[in-house]
Each structure stands twice: as C-alpha cells, then as structure tokens.
Amino acid sequence: GGVNDHEENIRQTAMFIASLPGAPVTVHLLPYHAIAQHKYAKLGKPDDFVQMEEPGREMLETVIGWFGEYGIHAQTGG
C-alpha cells in the first residue's frame, strides 16, 4: 500500500464517481500484488520494483465501506 490507498484520496474518488450522471456503477478494486516480480525473476531480468505491501482483507473491507458511504457498490477483483 501507500500509493493511492489513503482515505482522503479514496473519498475524493468516491465523491467524483458519485457526481457523475447516469446509473449507479460498481467499482472494482484491483489491489496491488507482486506477481510481476516473480515473472521478472523467472526471466532473469533485474527486479527494480518498489517494495509495496498487498492490502489485507480488513483494509479492502474498509475501502468498500467508504465507497458505500457515497452510495457506490464496490467489490474486489475485476
């Protein structure tokens, strides 16, 4: 975490989405995962990735709740 998972950033995003005209939408949260690092290692390529933590289930549930406060259905995955 730490890139765009701060509460203010998420709430601003939710407010923007809620302000758009049209039918309610579902937001799909695509959490960071480090799968590409393993692919690079298998290919013998340098691993220049910034080390980030994958969000836990509790954090994802919190974010889903924040979107819900703005009337937006959110779920994890695509």
Side-chain angles (χ1 to χ4, degrees):
V3 175
N4 59 0
D5 63 350
H6 302 290
E7 182 175 354
E8 183 170 341
N9 181 50
I10 293 168
R11 288 186 180 277
Q12 291 290 326
T13 301
M15 283 192 291
F16 172 73
I17 293 169
S19 75
L20 297 173
V25 297
T26 297
V27 170
H28 296 267
L29 303 174
L30 303 175
Y32 168 82
H33 57 78
I35 195 167
Q37 286 179 300
H38 302 294
K39 289 180 181 179
Y40 271 62
K42 283 183 182 179
L43 295 171
K45 296 194 175 249
D47 178 358
D48 296 338
F49 290 90
V50 174
Q51 296 299 314
M52 291 188 286
E53 237 180 83
E54 294 183 30
R57 187 75 205 153
E58 185 177 316
M59 178 60 179
L60 293 171
E61 291 296 331
T62 298
V63 171
I64 288 170
W66 290 338
F67 276 102
E69 291 176 24
Y70 296 90
I72 300 167
H73 177 259
Q75 64 186 41
T76 56

